[in-house]
Every structure is written in C-alpha cells, then in structure tokens.
C-alpha cells in the first residue's frame, strides 16, 4: 500500500526525495581524467573560479595587470583574504566554496587555506572523483566538448573511451559565432574545406564535419551560446549554417540542438573569462525555429531573468522545446526560486530543473546542495497547493516526479 501524503509528512517526503535523487547534470565544463589537465579540481581552482575573480576586483585594491601576473596560488591567497577573511563570504559563489569545504569534512573554524591545500594534496583524482560524485549525488555529467580545442582534439581523434559518467556535448560556437575569423580555419585544420560564401560544397563539408564528430563523440546534444541579438531566420552565415547544416544533421542523428542565449562576450575584456555579460533576447528567434522545425528537438536555457517567463510560454506552445537549468547569472537562490516556481506553474513536470555549469569538479558538491535546498522548498509549496486543492498523492508519486525533474526528463527527451 503506497503511503498517502498529508501536510504533516509532505515536507520530509519531498526533502527525502530531492536529497536522495541521483541527478543527471546536463551542462558542465568538467572533463573526465583522460583529458588530463582539462579536469580542474582542488581548493585553489575553487577560489580562482572566474565568478570570484570578478568579485575580488570589487573589493581588492589591485590592478588587472598585477592580478593576472600573479600565480594561481597567489591569486587564491588574495581572493581568500579579500572575500573570505576581510569580508564575509556571503555571495553565492563565495558561499559555494564554504559549502564545498564543509561537505568534504574540512575545518571551517580554522579558515586556514594552507590546511585545505594539504587535504587536496593528499587526494588521488581517481578516488576524488568518486568522493565528489557520491557527496553531490550526481549520476552523470555532460561535458562541453570543443573538437577544435588543441588538447581535446587529439584525445578524440585517438578514439577516447573515457569514464561513462562524463558524457559528451558537441559545442559549435566557433562555427556559428566566429566562422570567418576562427571556424573556417579550424574546419580546414581538420580537413573540411569551406569558403567564405558558404557554397553548397561548403555546407556539405560542414554537414560532413558534424556527422563525423557526432559519430566520434556520441554527444548528448549539439550546443551553442548565442548573443542577445541572435535572430532566426537571419540573412547571415550563422543563419545559413543553422538552417542548412545544424538542423538537418540534428534531425538525421536525433541529436538535439541546445541554444544558450543572451551572453554578451567580453563586455570587460580585462576580466578575461570573468568578463562576459548578458542582456535580454528577442525570443522570436526561438518561436521561428520551433515552428519551422516541428520534428527537431531543441534544448534552451536563457541568461536574462527578464526572458524566463516568456520562455515558459514558448515551451507551452512547442512540445519540441525542453527548457533547462538556471544558467550562470540565473544560478542564484532568489532567481532559482522564482523561475522554478513559474516553470512548474506553467509547464508542470515537463522541464529539466537545473544544471550546475560546474567548471571545477568539487563545485558539483555546492551547486547541487544549494539547488536541492531551493528545489525542495518550491516543491513543498507546490505539492501543498495540490493537497489544498484536494488531490491525493503518495510518496512513490513524489519520488517519480522528482526523478523526472532531475534527470528522467532529459533521458526521455534524448530517447524520444
Ligand atoms: O558558455 C557557457 O557555457 C557559459 O556557461 C560560460 O562557460 C561561462 O563562463 C560559465 O562558466 N558560466 O557558468
Ligand atoms: Zn557553461
């Protein structure tokens, strides 16, 4: 007999379901150990995560030149002193470091960065991966793989097998956003000759490139980050490659096309990777893509809070769109809470609630602990509303729903 839920046991039931659910993390910048130094981990990487670099310049009296001339250890020392000792680490990215250290069992009372470095110095990466996946309750992560990256490329060409917990995603920003200055040369470097005018022959070569790398990588999806001014259809090289190459290949191989829209790259180049900004997007681009390609599957996450409500409405109109996660500047408790509520209210359970965007392995611990806390809070309220309306539900049904929201919907979307 399944246990019927009442208000008294609702909270513990939802928290238990959310906290125990193994998640599929559908967008990260993590790499399996066979990619060598591309896999980042440890306390100095945590502290010099580009989110904290942006924040340290607001509080430390240091020039960009001086900071970038420092070693990573010295950068970490400065960030630790500035954002954790001279100031309470109250921002989400600082609090994430605190949560990670705590969940790894380190003594936060000491605040001794050298101590923490000692702990990591004694970890073997193969074991540490198991510790992190276990503590974070992550079943698998999807990487961000760039066939043109000088370190990744030879590993893929040599026939990467790798840890199956690290799934691939084929990232194609340089072809779509930088074809003239970067993409065309990179394609040529891999033996795909294309011209500036994107002749039929060139479009065929780009389709051949996509086919070859889908066969090689077996990616969960093809992804691109796009600026807020992205339009579709668009009389541009990007518009032509999407229409003539990405969409037909996505359909042929049943590999969804993931659009991550709203990033304005290098608004402050002096901050390097920390220098990107965001802006609201005209989502007619999505509506046109979805309406004109009803058999194609699309994944989308947006960078502007102001776009989130209309994204939910668009997803109501087009079942071939799966929205996912609280991306980057969205990934803060107050916004995760807000957009998770409106997504559940407008789309029910047909969403992928969250991804981590983790760049450092250890971040899986805090990004998922923080998200689970908020997701539990929202789900408790939404199931309470349901109970108040008279619906009768059970522990098993809540477990089923949570499993879908934290991974099952992604698996189902890929297999559909
Ligand atoms: O383009 C992306 O995938 C973004 O997530 C960027 O990598 C960004 O720098 C980031 O790490 N955001 O969390
Ligand atoms: Zn990312």
């Amino acid at each position: 007999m399944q246990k019927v839920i009442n208000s008294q046991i609702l909270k513990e039931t939802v928290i238990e379901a959310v906290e125990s659910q193994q998640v599929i993390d559908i967008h990260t910048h993590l790499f399996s150990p066979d990619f060598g130094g591309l896999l980042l981990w440890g306390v100095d990487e945590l502290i010099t995560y580009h989110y904290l670099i942006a924040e340290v310049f607001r509080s430390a009296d240091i020039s960009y030149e001086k900071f970038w001339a420092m070693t990573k250890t010295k950068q970490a020392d400065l960030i630790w002193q500035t954002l954790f000792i001279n100031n309470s680490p109250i921002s989400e990215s600082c609090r994430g470091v605190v949560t990670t250290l705590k969940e790894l069992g380190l003594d936060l009372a000491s605040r001794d960065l050298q101590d923490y470095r000692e702990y990591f110095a004694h970890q073997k990466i193969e074991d540490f991966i198991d510790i992190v996946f276990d503590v974070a309750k992550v079943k698998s992560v999807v990487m961000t793989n760039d066939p043109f990256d000088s370190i990744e490329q030879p590993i893929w060409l040599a026939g990467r097998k790798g840890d199956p917990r690290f799934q691939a995603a084929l990232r194609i920003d340089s072809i779509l956003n930088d074809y003239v200055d970067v993409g065309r040369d990179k394609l040529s470097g891999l033996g795909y000759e294309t011209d500036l005018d994107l002749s039929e022959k060139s479009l065929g070569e780009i389709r051949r490139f996509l086919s070859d790398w889908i066969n090689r990588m077996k990616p969960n999806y093809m992804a691109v980050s796009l600026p807020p001014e992205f339009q579709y259809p668009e009389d541009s090289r990007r518009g032509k490659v999407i229409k003539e190459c990405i969409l037909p290949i996505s359909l042929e191989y049943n590999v969804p096309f993931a659009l991550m829209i709203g990033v304005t790259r290098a608004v402050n180049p002096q901050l390097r990777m920390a220098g990107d900004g965001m802006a609201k997007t005209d989502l007619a681009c999505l509506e046109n893509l979805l309406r004109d390609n009803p058999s194609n599957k699309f994944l989308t996450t947006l960078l502007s809070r102001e776009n989130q409500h209309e994204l939910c409405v668009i997803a109501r109109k087009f079942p071939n769109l799966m929205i996912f996660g609280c991306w980057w500047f969205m990934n803060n408790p107050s916004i995760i809470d807000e957009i998770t509520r409106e997504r559940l209210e407008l789309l029910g359970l047909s969403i992928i609630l969250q991804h981590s965007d983790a760049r450092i392995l250890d971040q899986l611990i805090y990004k998922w602990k923080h998200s689970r806390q908020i997701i539990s809070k929202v789900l408790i309220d939404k199931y309470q509303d349901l109970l108040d309306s008279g619906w009768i539900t059970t522990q098993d049904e809540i477990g089923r729903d949570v499993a879908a929201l934290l991974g099952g919907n992604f698996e189902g979307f890929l297999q559909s």
Side-chain angles (χ1 to χ4, degrees), residues 27 29 260 327 357:
H27 172 62
H29 298 271
M260 305 167 69
W327 181 29
D357 221 344

